[in-house]
Amino acid sequence: MEFSGKTIAITGGARGIGNAIAHTICRLGGHVVIADLSGAAEAAAALQAEGYSAEGHVVDVTKSDVVDAFIDGVVQARGAIDGFVANAAYANSNAMLDHSDDEWRGVMSVNLDGVFYSVRAAGRHMTKAGAGAIVIISSIAGVKAVRPELHAAYDVSKAAVAHMARVVGVEWAKTGVRVNAVGPGYTETEMLKSVGIEHPEVVEKWLEDMPSGALLQPPEVANVVAFLLSPLSSAINGQLVMADGGYSSF
Ligand SMILES: NC(=O)c1ccc[n+]([C@@H]2O[C@H](COP(=O)([O-])OP(=O)(O)OC[C@H]3O[C@@H](n4cnc5c(N)ncnc54)[C@H](O)[C@@H]3O)[C@@H](O)[C@H]2O)c1
């Protein structure tokens, strides 16, 4: 796998899994464009300090005009967008009956609308160019009811974006653009704080359900994303590829 001469944009790339994807792509020679609500410039500066090619932009994926301007700007500056990762999301924490309208809408606006806006914006350029690969980050929570934490809105948003990869992957297949989703299992990032990593009884359940008995690390997920962005995965399109250590098979 190698990405020299390629431009890959990643939403939510300032930390966690998105940041690990940025590191992996940089190590493989690509130019990374990080889009995040906060910390994008700092994350890009850290990559530059390691000698890599990266830039950071403040982008709120819930604003369709902001997302369009961001992607258009990438294409204008770099000549093309070769890969795009729709990674930005957040997890709520609540039982279904306690979800307010605002809580539901807030999750959907980032995790679903944000993915729609950004995949559409990247896809406009890629389908015109006749090349490109898109990876949408879904979750184990999009394919089965996870335990013990409760976050119905998050789960439904993650199922929806996995299906977006199937539908759009098929729709764009003849244009030379592939769209896949990746479903991570429990991965040690800041996000796990909002769903219970600081509570030993919660972590105990997670580890019981992980066949390996261990949480995943962000680079393990990033490797799968890099593969799906690369031509090595040319036969894979419209799929949800689980990067969950077997959690969904258990
Ligand atoms: N960590 C896990 O266990 C796990 C498991 C399955 C799936 N995932 C998925 O992996 C992806 C990354 O999660 P993570 O664990 O790295 O989370 P994280 O909270 O560490 O990082 C998420 C990033 O998204 C950014 N973001 C949030 N809202 C945004 C917005 N409106 N516009 C732009 N950026 C925004 C945040 O600022 C942050 O940098 C998410 O799609 C998440 O659903 C994570």
Side-chain angles (χ1 to χ4, degrees):
M1 267 194 288
E2 68 109 21
F3 290 91
S4 49
K6 303 290 184 197
T7 298
I8 313 292
I10 305 161
T11 65
R15 70 179 200 201
I17 291 172
N19 195 248
I21 297 167
H23 268 91
T24 302
I25 298 298
C26 278
R27 268 199 304 277
L28 294 168
H31 174 81
V32 158
V33 186
I34 291 174
D36 207 304
L37 270 184
S38 62
E42 294 82 349
L47 287 165
Q48 288 161 7
E50 290 181 57
Y52 296 131
S53 179
E55 58 189 285
H57 298 264
V58 177
V59 175
D60 180 351
V61 297
T62 67
K63 310 268 187 287
S64 109
D65 54 340
V66 170
V67 171
D68 285 349
F70 164 66
I71 298 287
D72 291 351
V74 171
V75 174
Q76 213 162 21
R78 306 285 310 169
I81 179 165
D82 303 293
F84 176 72
V85 186
N87 166 79
Y90 76 94
N92 64 317
S93 184
N94 229 340
M96 177 68 166
L97 296 181
D98 297 327
H99 278 54
S100 66
D101 295 357
D102 283 350
E103 181 170 359
W104 178 269
R105 190 85 292 281
V107 172
M108 292 302 163
S109 76
V110 178
N111 298 12
L112 181 53
D113 302 352
V115 172
F116 163 60
Y117 297 146
S118 52
V119 168
R120 181 180 61 178
R124 275 185 192 131
H125 290 283
M126 289 177 173
T127 54
K128 206 186 287 175
I134 294 176
V135 175
I136 299 172
I137 306 300
S138 175
S139 173
I140 46 172
V143 293
K144 63 187 277 189
V146 298
R147 67 169 189 170
E149 73 280 18
L150 297 171
H151 38 43
Y154 177 77
D155 304 340
V156 173
S157 74
K158 289 290 159 184
V161 295
H163 200 56
M164 194 187 299
R166 294 183 192 103
V167 171
V168 184
V170 169
E171 186 179 313
W172 293 344
K174 285 203 170 69
T175 71
V177 179
R178 292 182 300 114
V179 185
N180 289 293
V182 166
Y186 292 108
T187 308
E188 278 195 80
T189 69
E190 287 289 309
M191 182 181 274
L192 287 193
K193 285 190 179 154
S194 62
V195 288
I197 198 167
E198 281 154 348
H199 301 281
E201 69 285 4
V202 171
V203 178
E204 196 183 317
K205 285 277 179 245
W206 294 346
L207 297 181
E208 255 176 49
D209 292 341
M210 280 298 271
S212 66
L215 301 180
L216 292 158
Q217 296 304 314
E220 298 182 84
V221 178
N223 288 337
V224 179
V225 175
F227 170 66
L228 289 173
L229 289 172
S230 84
L232 289 184
S233 60
S234 59
I236 305 177
N237 183 34
Q239 295 295 320
L240 168 62
V241 177
M242 299 310 292
D244 66 354
Y247 179 98
S248 55
S249 304
F250 203 25

